[in-house]
Amino acid sequence: MNRLDNQWKNQHLAWRAGFGPQARDIEILRNNSPSVQLKAMIAASQQPPTYIDVVSNSMEGMLMNRRNLSIEEKRQLRKQSRDDIKTLNLRWLDEMIASPAQLREKMAFFWHGHFACRNLNIYYQQLLLHIVRTNALGNFGDLLKQVSKSAAMLNFLNNNQNRKGHPNENFAREVMELFTMGRGNYSETDIKEAARAFTGWGADASGAFVFRNNQHDDGSKRFLGQEGNFNGDDILAIILAQPATANFITGKLIRYFVNEQAPREKIDYYADRFRQSGYDIQSLLADLFSSNWFYDVANTGNRIKSPIELWVGIRRQLPFDLPAPEIQLLVEKLLGQVLFYPPNVAGWPAGKNWIDSSTLLFRMRLPQLITGNEALQLNPKQDDDVQMGRAPVQLGRNFRAIINWPAYIQAFADSKETDRYETVNRFLLQSKHQPSAAVFENHNDKSSPELAIGTLTLNLMSTPEYQIN
Amino acid sequence: MLFNRKEFLQASTLASASMFVPRFLQATEQKAAVPAGNKVLVVLQLSGGNDGLNTVVPYRNDLYYQARPVLGLKRQDCLSLTDEVGLHPALTAFKAAYDDGSLAILNEVGYPSPDRSHFRSMDIWQSASNSDEYIYNGWLGRYLDNQCKACNHPTQILELDDMLSLALKGKNGSGIAMREPNRLYQSSKQKLYRELIQQHQSSHSEDLPDFLYQTLTNTLNSADYIFEQSKKMPSNAAYPATEMGRKLKTIAGLIFSDINTKVYYLSHGSFDTHVAQEGQQKRLFTEMNDAIEAFVKDLKANNRFKDVVLVTFSEFGRRVSQNASAGTDHGTANNMFFVGGALKSKGLLNAMADLNNLRDGDLQYKVDFRAVYANLLENWLDTPAENILGGKFSGISVV
């Protein structure tokens, strides 16, 4: 079986550079060349994104005016904020599922994990999300600077407590360790000196960056071998000039998009080009996604989908509506990845870390849960940072998904019965290793071609192989 | 080869766990050996940050009452352990255990540079990392890695929950989570899953499909194995009809069977008492106390109490001073309980929290929690701790 034809490559691209292929595009996937597909994906992501704004005017007023609120009003505000973060989560999921700007949303999702930030202020969170989505394909330096000056990140990493004479090194440390160079490329002294340079960086209630001159340490600093009266911007500029930064970011991108075991020489090659381009993210991605190496058989079907990728991928491959979309929050919790709640500043784990007995069984049961063939009786763990000691809200337990079967089955209308397994399988599974067709014989409903395709689809989505892209 | 459907159904109803070893794994199959008198660790996580100062109460310390004019527990209400120290009034079973030498209390447990985020601090406790390290596996998971190299059911560590905690995730494999043996068994009983396993052939060059199939196989094997074991010697003692009561009853039944489980993990909460702490902590303690009382009684009646140690921990304690909402905010160091019939050290193991030496209003830890893990791993679970904990930690010998 020739797996390395255009359909296979285009689907590979759709899973990596986006959240997976759609059934309605099956003709395009079969017929276009990967280079045409890549151009189309890039073109579809050129528009700046629309600001996802879930904060009401009255809420915004309260957020801006926090200090003058009563205890009860503050409590209300926190509750509203947590609820609005859920709405932001669902709205962004909608974009991932339906937006034609797949490359932009996928990259935004990557940066959302890279610049991992927990902050219960919805206003700050939606501002940070907008920075990430706007700059997802832009210039890494701009992205880094804007994230570093965002209220969400400054607060999360305690830079609002970083003052002359009383430094808080958290922000300075994480910027270097996790956002740019990685460990081993700077000393503890560099962290201390950088922290001094970041003193005075803060944000006001509206989320705007403020520089508090009276809190800033304007003495001379020695940082990465250079000496000067550096401020925070200078530090970021010096960090961006380090080859280690290009290497670290490129390595992370390649491990994420191509292969967890990326060869050193590939990273060096692309890192060089990335730095020479002045950190142009889109050209790095175009470089990668158009290389023969990206389509090398060893680099296909070699990743475990993260929970968000799995869920959004299901929703793209099998079109359905959810009358009560909040159920998706429960899915995120049970799979172990809730947008806006990364486990820590290092972001989510990857690969095999997603899989244990509970998550694997839940992943494999998801298709049957969506159709309502099985009832969901699982409880997620509590999150005390969110719940603040209150009882968890019981989420609706019924998906009640309205699956658009006619639209889905249409994609396979011209396939003969003898080709059915192969046709559906090719669209759904990106794993090189395939379950044998015979195993599904007893499980598919063959009373009509539609039911046969439908049951086969759900069963293929219930396999270990479906966890791979 | 595909099983004939009828044959397969017959096989699956009669089969014991070992039947479902797919061909690609058969070569590595090992029978689990279960020693009699199997020592068991039960880890009880008090989620949300339990207020240690109102758990083990320094009722002769004026600083305690100064910091807590409303929330401070009065001496006459506490269950007296010594002239200085009493327990929260709801903890009667712990008081009884103290009196009969089966309770140990360790104060001021924590770690350097404490983090006040629930999630982060819990991850630090569960992964046994430093507070500036991010590790995506847990101390019990790494214990499992040591115990279960290519074994077929990683039931050495079990969590009573629908989701598996970080503590039980290893580098190579992970423990099993289940709320009830029957529920896990039912959800694993899909014929499709078993038939998929039977048809799977090792792909050799591809590591991920084998990893996923191995995890699936282990899960189904474990589901069968746990379910079988849970029916062998189910506890018929009376437990409170609470979630924790049900979980401890399940655990007791499994302890009485010859399952190979060495560690059980369960959580109770939420102890995040920012507001109106008194009622919430009392309610949670009552549920915990009554369930543990039944558990201890059950273990004693079956002559297994000496084989069991139950350990409690929380991601942090709370601030020494009460807040304006009759609650307490996130703090740092905290106390731990050890309940068991064969403790090496008993009673109050160290001095009470030092309220004279606070740092920004918080207690300063004196005992690194990893020293406790080291003791449990080395002396209770017979496993070298240094590799699992990424360093040498010593000084605790409660077991």
Side-chain angles (χ1 to χ4, degrees):
Chain A
M1 156 168 69
N2 174 20
R3 278 283 175 187
L4 288 172
D5 60 6
N6 279 349
Q7 185 187 344
W8 178 258
K9 289 179 180 172
N10 288 331
Q11 288 181 178
H12 175 58
L13 180 67
W15 276 114
R16 301 291 172 95
F19 288 97
Q22 292 179 294
R24 66 169 187 226
D25 293 333
I26 199 148
E27 282 306 314
I28 299 170
L29 294 167
R30 282 175 188 154
N31 298 326
N32 269 358
S33 74
S35 63
V36 169
Q37 274 302 92
L38 177 60
K39 280 202 188 85
M41 282 191 91
I42 292 174
S45 289
Q46 291 311 299
Q47 291 253 5
T50 317
Y51 183 38
I52 306 179
D53 185 358
V54 300
V55 179
S56 68
N57 285 338
S58 60
M59 172 78 178
E60 194 172 323
M62 283 172 82
L63 280 162
M64 305 263 187
N65 193 24
R66 286 189 88 120
R67 278 190 196 159
N68 301 322
L69 301 178
S70 69
I71 289 176
E72 176 55 24
E73 284 171 322
K74 281 185 183 157
R75 202 183 62 78
Q76 274 299 326
L77 183 70
R78 282 197 297 269
K79 182 182 178 310
Q80 187 63 47
S81 191
R82 287 189 299 267
D83 288 349
D84 288 349
I85 291 175
K86 292 179 190 165
T87 309
L88 185 65
N89 181 330
L90 296 172
R91 289 273 302 276
W92 191 22
L93 270 186
D94 287 342
E95 294 296 324
M96 294 177 187
I97 294 162
S99 167
Q102 282 288 295
L103 180 61
R104 177 178 294 280
E105 298 302 341
K106 185 62 175 282
M107 270 317 289
F109 176 59
F110 173 85
W111 296 123
H112 179 69
H114 180 75
F115 294 111
C117 178
R118 275 191 166 221
N119 195 311
L120 295 179
N121 182 320
I122 171 59
Y123 194 59
Y124 293 176
Q125 279 287 14
Q126 72 177 29
L127 286 170
L128 178 58
L129 177 63
H130 193 59
I131 290 172
V132 158
R133 290 175 72 232
T134 304
N135 295 283
L137 300 172
N139 181 282
F140 176 73
D142 293 344
L143 176 62
L144 174 69
K145 284 173 211 160
Q146 290 186 38
V147 168
S148 299
K149 291 185 172 181
S150 70
M153 196 58 87
L154 286 169
N155 280 293
F156 178 54
L157 295 179
N158 314 103
N159 208 67
N160 46 345
Q161 292 142 30
N162 186 15
R163 301 189 178 98
K164 181 180 183 176
H166 300 278
N168 184 309
E169 295 167 6
N170 201 14
F171 179 77
R173 180 183 301 277
E174 306 303 12
V175 161
M176 288 187 260
E177 178 179 334
L178 299 167
F179 298 165
T180 58
M181 294 185 285
R183 277 191 183 187
N185 294 296
Y186 51 87
S187 67
E188 285 295 310
T189 314
D190 291 324
I191 291 173
K192 286 193 168 59
E193 295 289 284
R196 289 177 58 213
F198 287 118
T199 49
W201 277 29
D204 66 16
S206 77
F209 174 77
V210 286
F211 177 68
R212 299 186 178 103
N213 201 19
N214 59 335
Q215 296 179 2
H216 179 67
D217 178 346
D218 58 4
S220 177
K221 295 115 193 161
R222 189 166 177 80
F223 179 68
L224 293 175
Q226 301 184 43
E227 197 156 352
N229 177 12
F230 299 137
N231 60 26
D233 287 310
D234 299 328
I235 296 294
L236 292 182
I238 294 171
I239 289 174
L240 284 166
Q242 307 295 314
T245 298
N247 255 281
F248 182 77
I249 299 298
T250 308
K252 188 165 175 178
L253 277 162
I254 287 180
R255 282 191 297 278
Y256 186 85
F257 285 105
V258 188
N259 195 324
E260 271 188 42
Q261 265 87 46
R264 187 72 251 169
E265 66 272 14
K266 287 287 180 193
I267 295 175
D268 291 344
Y269 170 78
Y270 285 104
D272 242 26
R273 292 170 66 93
F274 189 34
R275 207 156 72 97
Q276 277 162 21
S277 75
Y279 289 107
D280 189 294
I281 300 165
Q282 182 175 299
S283 41
L284 172 64
L285 293 175
D287 243 13
L288 263 183
F289 295 143
S290 60
S291 70
N292 288 332
W293 180 60
F294 175 69
Y295 297 96
D296 192 302
V297 68
N299 295 325
T300 65
N302 64 341
R303 289 180 81 246
I304 290 181
K305 296 172 187 169
S306 78
I308 293 291
E309 290 169 329
L310 174 73
W311 176 250
V312 175
I314 289 174
R315 293 208 58 185
R316 284 182 63 76
Q317 290 198 307
L318 183 63
F320 58 85
D321 290 324
L322 288 171
E326 311 82 62
I327 188 92
Q328 297 176 109
L329 301 169
L330 182 63
V331 171
E332 289 182 16
K333 278 191 180 181
L334 287 168
L335 290 172
Q337 187 175 37
V338 181
L339 295 172
F340 303 101
Y341 294 98
N344 54 59
V345 62
W348 283 285
K352 292 179 183 176
N353 284 313
W354 291 119
I355 302 296
D356 60 53
S357 60
S358 305
T359 57
L360 181 59
L361 268 193
F362 183 61
R363 280 168 173 249
M364 291 175 62
R365 288 178 64 207
L366 256 180
Q368 299 298 335
L369 292 168
I370 293 165
T371 57
N373 291 344
E374 280 183 47
L376 179 56
Q377 291 179 320
L378 300 169
N379 294 310
K381 289 193 189 294
Q382 62 188 29
D383 183 334
D384 286 300
D385 287 321
V386 182
Q387 287 165 215
M388 305 283 280
R390 294 158 310 114
V393 179
Q394 287 298 316
L395 297 154
R397 288 310 170 84
N398 192 335
F399 281 80
R400 294 192 305 256
I402 301 156
I403 303 180
N404 190 349
W405 282 116
Y408 176 78
I409 287 165
Q410 181 61 34
F412 308 101
D414 58 354
S415 73
K416 290 192 284 274
E417 194 185 333
T418 46
D419 299 338
R420 191 181 289 144
Y421 175 79
E422 179 58 20
T423 315
V424 178
N425 180 10
R426 283 179 66 91
F427 173 64
L428 289 175
L429 299 186
Q430 204 68 18
S431 167
K432 279 164 283 186
H433 192 275
Q434 302 283 321
S436 87
V439 84
F440 299 97
E441 283 296 308
N442 292 330
H443 295 277
N444 295 337
D445 185 336
K446 299 199 202 82
S447 50
S448 73
E450 289 78 17
L451 275 169
I453 292 171
T455 49
L456 176 61
T457 296
L458 295 174
N459 286 329
L460 282 168
M461 284 181 159
S462 306
T463 59
E465 283 84 351
Y466 191 67
Q467 315 312 316
I468 294 171
N469 74 15
Chain B
M1 171 204 90
L2 179 67
F3 253 77
N4 167 303
R5 186 171 166 77
K6 201 171 141 209
E7 275 170 17
F8 181 79
L9 290 177
Q10 281 170 347
S12 58
T13 36
L14 297 173
S16 70
S18 57
M19 275 301 293
F20 294 111
V21 180
R23 280 167 304 160
F24 82 106
L25 287 178
Q26 272 169 6
T28 57
E29 218 241 313
Q30 293 164 347
K31 262 235 169 308
V34 186
N38 187 19
K39 279 185 185 166
V40 166
L41 170 65
V42 181
V43 179
L44 171 56
Q45 170 180 307
L46 306 181
S47 304
N50 176 42
D51 180 19
L53 278 175
N54 274 20
T55 305
V56 184
V57 183
Y59 53 45
R60 288 276 289 271
N61 192 329
D62 291 341
L63 293 172
Y64 167 72
Y65 292 104
Q66 280 165 24
R68 299 184 163 197
V70 176
L71 282 183
L73 293 170
K74 295 192 187 70
R75 178 175 184 176
Q76 64 265 31
D77 296 333
C78 293
L79 307 169
S80 174
L81 303 184
T82 68
D83 282 350
E84 306 283 330
V85 182
L87 290 178
H88 185 282
L91 300 176
T92 52
F94 291 78
K95 160 73 173 156
Y98 179 85
D99 289 342
D100 80 0
S102 50
L103 176 75
I105 298 169
L106 188 60
N107 292 302
E108 296 201 288
V109 189
Y111 56 88
S113 307
D115 198 297
R116 284 170 187 76
S117 144
H118 291 285
F119 209 92
R120 179 65 194 137
S121 194
M122 191 57 93
D123 276 5
I124 290 166
W125 272 84
Q126 293 199 4
S127 64
S129 67
N130 294 317
S131 71
D132 63 350
E133 279 183 298
Y134 307 99
I135 296 180
Y136 294 98
N137 49 65
W139 71 289
L140 294 169
R142 297 194 294 274
Y143 160 75
L144 178 72
D145 285 339
N146 251 6
Q147 299 302 303
C148 180
K149 296 212 167 80
C151 71
N152 280 313
H153 25 83
T155 45
Q156 283 90 340
I157 57 175
L158 281 187
E159 177 163 10
L160 282 282
D161 201 288
D162 287 326
M163 289 176 75
L164 193 71
S165 291
L166 178 64
L168 290 87
K169 295 183 185 178
K171 286 177 191 157
N172 307 321
S174 292
I176 301 283
M178 50 118 206
R179 199 164 281 274
E180 293 159 25
N182 185 45
R183 202 147 20 128
L184 174 66
Y185 179 69
Q186 294 303 332
S187 63
S188 74
K189 233 174 54 180
Q190 303 287 336
K191 286 187 209 90
L192 176 65
Y193 302 164
R194 306 208 173 219
E195 292 178 29
L196 279 166
I197 287 176
Q198 286 302 333
Q199 62 81 43
H200 180 71
Q201 300 194 23
S202 176
S203 48
H204 301 297
S205 57
E206 292 299 317
D207 144 65
L208 286 184
D210 279 3
F211 164 74
L212 292 166
Y213 272 96
Q214 167 126 37
T215 306
L216 180 63
T217 306
N218 287 347
T219 306
L220 303 196
N221 280 341
S222 300
D224 291 349
Y225 176 62
I226 296 167
F227 184 60
E228 273 175 33
Q229 295 292 332
S230 73
K231 288 186 300 185
K232 277 191 178 160
M233 301 283 289
S235 166
N236 48 23
Y239 280 77
T242 57
E243 189 179 326
M244 196 166 163
R246 280 187 290 274
K247 286 179 177 176
L248 285 178
K249 187 172 185 171
T250 300
I251 292 174
L254 289 171
I255 290 174
F256 302 151
S257 77
D258 61 357
I259 195 167
N260 69 347
T261 306
K262 301 286 290 178
V263 182
Y264 297 89
Y265 199 96
L266 71 165
S267 305
H268 183 50
S270 166
F271 285 90
D272 194 20
T273 49
H274 290 279
V275 180
Q277 169 170 307
E278 192 183 347
Q280 191 174 343
Q281 195 187 32
K282 185 177 170 199
R283 178 179 60 75
L284 291 166
F285 272 175
T286 303
E287 181 181 337
M288 172 175 91
N289 183 76
D290 296 355
I292 287 178
E293 183 172 32
F295 184 58
V296 169
K297 193 175 161 202
D298 198 8
L299 291 173
K300 282 181 175 169
N302 287 277
N303 198 26
R304 293 300 301 277
F305 190 41
K306 62 183 185 321
D307 295 328
V308 176
V309 170
L310 180 144
V311 180
T312 69
F313 81 96
S314 199
E315 68 268 39
F316 41 62
R318 305 194 76 85
R319 291 185 78 85
V320 175
S321 293
Q322 65 185 49
N323 65 20
S325 317
T328 51
D329 298 323
H330 300 179
T332 51
N334 207 350
N335 38 43
M336 298 177 78
F337 284 136
F338 304 81
V339 180
L343 297 179
K344 202 181 271 178
S345 315
K346 297 157 194 178
L348 289 155
L349 301 181
N350 57 357
M352 292 294 287
D354 183 354
L355 301 184
N356 281 310
N357 279 306
L358 304 182
R359 182 169 181 167
D360 302 329
D362 277 316
L363 302 175
Q364 300 200 58
Y365 90 101
K366 296 235 172 64
V367 177
D368 194 302
F369 69 102
R370 289 165 291 191
V372 175
Y373 292 176
N375 179 229
L376 294 168
L377 287 165
E378 302 257 355
N379 290 7
W380 198 251
L381 300 173
D382 287 327
T383 306
E386 195 173 337
N387 276 340
I388 292 172
L389 301 179
K392 261 198 190 318
F393 296 92
S394 58
I396 299 300
S397 56
V398 64
V399 292

